[in-house]
Amino acid sequence: MNAQRPPEASAPLLQMEGITKDFSGGRVLFGVDFSLHPGEVHALVGQNGAGKSTLMKVLAGVYPDYGGQVRLGGEPIDLRDPRDALEHGVAIIYQEFALVPEMTVAENIALGQEPGERGLVSHGQIRERAAAEIARLGLDLPVDVPVKQLGVAGQQLTEIVKAISRRARILVMDEPTARLSGTEREKLFETVRDLAAAGVGVVYISHFLEEIFEVADRVTVLRDGNVVAVEPTSALDLPRLAQLLVGRDMGTAAGREPTVQGATGVELRGLTVPGRAGPVDLDVRAGEIVGLAGLVGSGRTSLARAIVGMERSAAGSVAVGSWSGLPAHPGEAAERGILLLAEDRKRQGLVLQRTVSENVALTALRSSLTHRGFVRLRERARVVGELIERLRLV
Ligand code: ADP
Ligand code: MG
């Protein structure tokens, strides 16, 4: 944020005008206008599927077939290739990070930098530069550790340093806090504010509306590929923003009665992961959504893993229907009807080289979809088709 001068007073870094984008399924952006000023944190909000990521991928040069006009620093520009965006100082941090897990923090940061004079840099230089960049941003990151050994927050910060080391003038963060804890979030906000104070324009996408009021100067609300509002954050409050987002008053949802009338779906008894979680007793009824809240390290993930048989040392019991025990592995839990959507879906839950159908059918591989070790393809197509229909998955 820029205290002396409102961001609007300066020339815009970015103007997107009348942006359209079609996929084979139809149009998803219907003439979107979006602008960003130096030093501004501009939040882009909207429900799932509203078009936020697509708009930012247009800016990243990922979709050469967009319609409308983009200007960077007032100059019209064709964004037909990711290099066009990079060359103009646009850096995007996606929900799914683009780091090389086996490489160290320093090496990943170096991937974002221009090579040295003869295109060569020594290992020492790579470390030095990374350390300098990290220090300049006032961050705390170990340069020699492979990023796969860092938590989500550390990976996030590595992405930011990588983007900033390219001298990005526009930084887009697509749901950066989705998997961060409270303190990690605060640290990220501080970094975002520092970057803005240094003149970087930040586009901040988040589902957490409270965050918008904490970091953003201005908000653009997208609904079904259309801009429904552009407002300074100071002109909005939480209920109003929620209403803009969904297109109706949210008042009724807040007073919802808890649905505890259903039959018991799952019962946890004395479920323990030694040293990490429990003992926990918990009943979850059919039709009920139960939130497990706690600080990082309080045992939420360990407990979830224990329920599906991923914690060898777990003790206690899980009861579903007439069965009670501890699943020996996630496959057994799945047979009992207990599934885990892992924290890091990209690594733990999906096989990215495989199709949507194959992934959807993955947990069912031992059941009716297989016959003597072979996958029944036609049956799989039918079951997956039904599921996709029911979940409205594209
Ligand atoms: P948001 O980021 O706001 O959740 P997206 O930009 O991801 O929304 O999606 C906007 C719409 O475009 C959705 O209907 C989505 O299904 C569709 N969409 C996104 N990416 C693709 C793609 N690669 N192919 C086809 N449709 C897509
Ligand atoms: Mg998105």
Side-chain angles (χ1 to χ4, degrees), residues 180-199:
L180 297 187
S181 71
T183 43
E184 292 166 342
R185 220 170 260 210
E186 284 309 318
K187 180 70 211 167
L188 179 75
F189 291 166
E190 211 183 295
T191 308
V192 167
R193 284 189 211 105
D194 287 350
L195 292 173

Side-chain angles (χ1 to χ4, degrees), residues 172-238:
V172 180
M173 310 180 89
D174 198 342
E175 304 202 22
T177 57
R179 295 174 296 162
L180 297 187
S181 71
T183 43
E184 292 166 342
R185 220 170 260 210
E186 284 309 318
K187 180 70 211 167
L188 179 75
F189 291 166
E190 211 183 295
T191 308
V192 167
R193 284 189 211 105
D194 287 350
L195 292 173
V200 175
V202 180
V203 182
Y204 191 88
I205 300 180
S206 179
H207 270 103
F208 301 107
L209 299 187
E210 301 85 355
E211 293 186 350
I212 306 299
F213 293 95
E214 215 171 317
V215 287
D217 303 297
R218 202 151 59 115
V219 187
T220 287
V221 182
L222 276 185
R223 201 190 303 146
D224 299 328
N226 293 285
V227 174
V228 293
V230 185
E231 299 275 2
T233 316
S234 56
L236 291 170
D237 58 15
L238 197 64

Side-chain angles (χ1 to χ4, degrees), residues 48-49 51-54 95 174-175 205 207:
N48 246 327
K52 306 177 295 291
S53 296
T54 302
Q95 272 160 290
D174 198 342
E175 304 202 22
I205 300 180
H207 270 103

Side-chain angles (χ1 to χ4, degrees), residues 16-21 27-34 55 67-68 222 225-227:
M16 301 181 86
E17 294 157 0
I19 304 299
T20 58
K21 168 69 189 140
R27 180 148 292 195
V28 301
L29 296 178
F30 296 82
V32 171
D33 294 341
F34 184 83
L55 184 68
L222 276 185
N226 293 285
V227 174

